[in-house]
Amino acid sequence: MPSPARRPRRRLHQPREQVLAAAMATIAAEGLDRLTMAGLGREVGMSSGHILYYFGTKDELLVQTLQWSEEQLGTERRAALSRRIPARERLDALVGLYLPEGHRDPRWTLWLEVWNRSQNADDETRERQLDLELAWHRDLVALLVEGVSKGEFRPVDAERFATRTRALLDGFGTHLVVGLPGTDREHVLDHLRDFFDESLSVPRD
């Protein structure tokens, strides 16, 4: 799922948003283990108590940072999907945005941490995480439906195909971000291109 650690394209006026941007930048530069309330406070000129005023707990800070990161990426995803190019090219673009850039990708590192912590989270937090997943799912379903309707893809159940595709992406993405030996991004993209060719290509007469 370009890296969310990139600088935002607009100035951050609200203290909350400044903290989220600083948190993502810290994860990108130093890793999740180095992310502390005190360190963030120094980055944005606030006390750790002031940061706690906005977020309450580190778990909440991480969830909101992930939400903020996904909002930035969502803007890029919608721009890619709105381009007037074949559906397959837009599908490849979506996959490129979804997958981590490689080992220790900051967005995926954060995603894994939030999901790990969510084992003990409340229902409201799980719903927020589900919303992040569904944003990708809805866009993928819409693209599949469009591709099928225009004859660019063979007929598929878009909902089921999107669910399976996201599971495949999550599996490959996890291998990439943890640095599983023998796995690299280009290798993963080759697997996915083969999968889409086999599953979506319209048979020639």
Side-chain angles (χ1 to χ4, degrees):
M1 292 151 236
S3 170
R6 294 174 179 173
R7 291 182 180 179
R9 295 176 183 173
R10 59 191 178 88
R11 294 187 62 187
L12 304 176
H13 297 292
Q14 299 180 358
R16 171 184 168 277
E17 197 169 0
Q18 291 175 336
V19 173
L20 298 177
M24 201 67 242
T26 298
I27 294 170
E30 303 179 38
L32 193 56
D33 291 342
R34 301 295 296 274
L35 180 65
T36 66
M37 295 296 193
L40 278 178
R42 288 191 293 272
E43 287 290 324
V44 298
M46 298 180 189
S47 68
S48 56
H50 198 182
I51 294 176
L52 283 170
Y53 170 80
Y54 283 102
F55 301 101
T57 66
K58 185 173 182 179
D59 281 1
E60 178 61 22
L61 169 67
L62 294 177
V63 171
Q64 289 197 34
T65 302
L66 182 61
Q67 289 177 306
W68 179 83
S69 164
E70 286 292 312
E71 287 170 7
Q72 314 306 304
L73 192 58
T75 299
E76 295 189 53
R77 184 178 71 248
R78 288 187 292 273
L81 293 176
S82 66
R83 294 178 62 196
R84 295 188 177 183
I85 57 177
R88 175 56 190 274
E89 292 181 31
R90 283 178 284 153
L91 178 59
D92 290 341
L94 184 148
V95 167
L97 289 170
Y98 193 103
L99 289 173
E101 292 295 325
H103 187 204
R104 296 180 180 174
D105 177 275
R107 179 173 59 86
W108 270 75
T109 297
L110 176 59
W111 182 84
L112 288 175
E113 180 68 14
V114 169
W115 276 90
N116 183 54
R117 289 171 179 248
S118 71
Q119 296 177 78
N120 300 315
D122 57 27
D123 290 343
E124 189 268 340
T125 299
R126 289 197 181 93
E127 286 293 327
R128 291 157 67 192
Q129 290 174 252
L130 178 61
D131 287 342
L132 299 179
E133 296 293 313
L134 290 179
W136 288 93
H137 184 82
R138 286 191 294 266
D139 284 348
L140 179 53
V141 168
L143 180 59
L144 292 167
V145 169
E146 178 189 340
V148 170
S149 69
K150 291 182 176 179
E152 296 181 49
F153 296 151
R154 72 172 62 179
V156 294
D157 183 321
E159 284 284 344
R160 289 172 61 84
F161 192 89
T163 297
R164 292 172 178 175
T165 298
R166 288 193 304 111
L168 188 64
L169 290 170
D170 287 344
F172 276 130
T174 301
H175 289 180
L176 283 173
V177 75
V178 302
L180 192 71
T183 303
D184 60 56
R185 184 177 164 91
E186 193 53 46
H187 184 226
V188 167
L189 289 172
D190 282 342
H191 273 298
L192 291 165
R193 282 190 286 265
D194 287 346
F195 170 68
F196 293 136
D197 285 343
E198 295 164 3
S199 304
L200 295 174
S201 295
V202 177
R204 295 181 179 179
D205 295 331

